[in-house]
Amino acid sequence: MGLSLQQNFKLGVLGGGQLGRMLIQSGIDFNIPFTILDPDAHAPCASLAEFHHGKLTDYDTVMKFGSACDIITIEIENVSTAALKALAKQGKKVFPQPEVIELIQDKRIQKKFYHDNGIPTAEFILTENAEDVKRNAGFLPAVNKLGREGYDGRGVQILRTEADLPKAFNAPGLLEKLIDFEKEISVIVARNERGEVKTFPAVEMVFHPVHNLVEYLFSPASISNEISAEADRLAQKIILDLNMVGLLAVEMFVTKDGRVLVNEIAPRPHNSGHQTIEANTTSQYEQHLRAILNLPLGDTRIVLPSAMVNLLGEPGYEGLAQYQGFDEVVKLPGVHVHLYGKRSTKPFRKMGHVTIVDNDVERLKKKVNFVKETLKVIA
Ligand SMILES: Nc1ncnc2c1ncn2[C@@H]1O[C@H](COP(=O)(O)OP(=O)(O)O)[C@@H](O)[C@H]1O
Ligand SMILES: [Mg+2]
């Protein structure tokens, strides 16, 4: 074992949101002592571990926090990689490595990485500002993405025709061909320090037929063996090309003509892996811990088909969160509710998620609809 779990060591996590919270939940089984840094004094992890209140992007804050840790990891990418590099130089174990976080922080560098390594991705051009986007009207229909600090759809917009050009982002970003995809899938892959690599079976995002929003996630993805093998191969290739240690989520498009294109990657536990807590032998959180502690990677097999529904703040409500329909939902067999412990709700804020397991896929879908209609976060 790379690091004795009996020894007095500390695992530091940059970020104390829901991903950190579920990482702590899993770490309890391995008796792991956590220390957390987050800019919000009421972050979901605040009362669950040793907690430090401070900015993740501030060099001195991260240096001071990291100096008291043995291993440092992240649950959000927007952190001071300069501090993480200095900590790694001092001999701290930093996983994922700061260089990998830096590459992923900027979608422009991410795209260049795919291009340079022969990883299939949507055709793109880099743009410096809105004028630049407008000059490339011939590239439409396209998706305009901000290079940095756009997440959960905030840095992404579709430019279908020239009439959409006035809303182009006026900051370094990129234009990507609009892909008329058949499905969006995700593969989570892990690699430990000794080089062992393991993937989870692909999951599929199911879109709302009218609103074009991810409605729920389904595991396993309903794809052919060939597509599944290609998605698996790409996820493994990316973590190896990055030489990364830790957990990596790989979001991909399956095109109507059967190609798999990489959309984006995230070097940490991911929304598309929540269902592994109930539905796979090893959860993504445990796998992340195994990878960064250089333990043997866990069995990723699916125990039962599952669906995952994000529990978002109901539009029209803002304030102290209340959970309507909780009893009715937890009464259903195979339904597990996760609340993230956020005190206040606002429209579309991620407040929790629900995992539903069922051997019968039709029944599973019925339960998804019941959960979506019944459980609401209001104020
Ligand atoms: N090139 C593209 N063609 C079609 N849809 C896209 C494209 N790029 C992104 N999207 C859609 O926008 C969503 C968000 O884009 P993504 O790059 O994953 O940004 P975020 O960081 O917000 O998750 C994707 O999940 C997908 O549904
Ligand atoms: Mg995404």
Side-chain angles (χ1 to χ4, degrees), residues 107 143 145 152-153 156 176-177 179 184 251 263-264:
K107 284 196 167 132
V143 180
K145 299 188 182 184
D152 281 347
V156 173
E176 203 176 278
K177 283 283 184 203
I179 304 297
E184 261 188 279
E251 295 179 19
N263 173 32
E264 62 158 353

Side-chain angles (χ1 to χ4, degrees), residues 193-212:
E193 240 184 318
R194 67 184 92 160
E196 198 187 345
V197 174
K198 222 167 223 174
T199 52
F200 283 88
V203 304
E204 150 176 13
M205 311 337 146
V206 180
F207 279 78
H208 189 283
V210 181
H211 296 113
N212 203 33

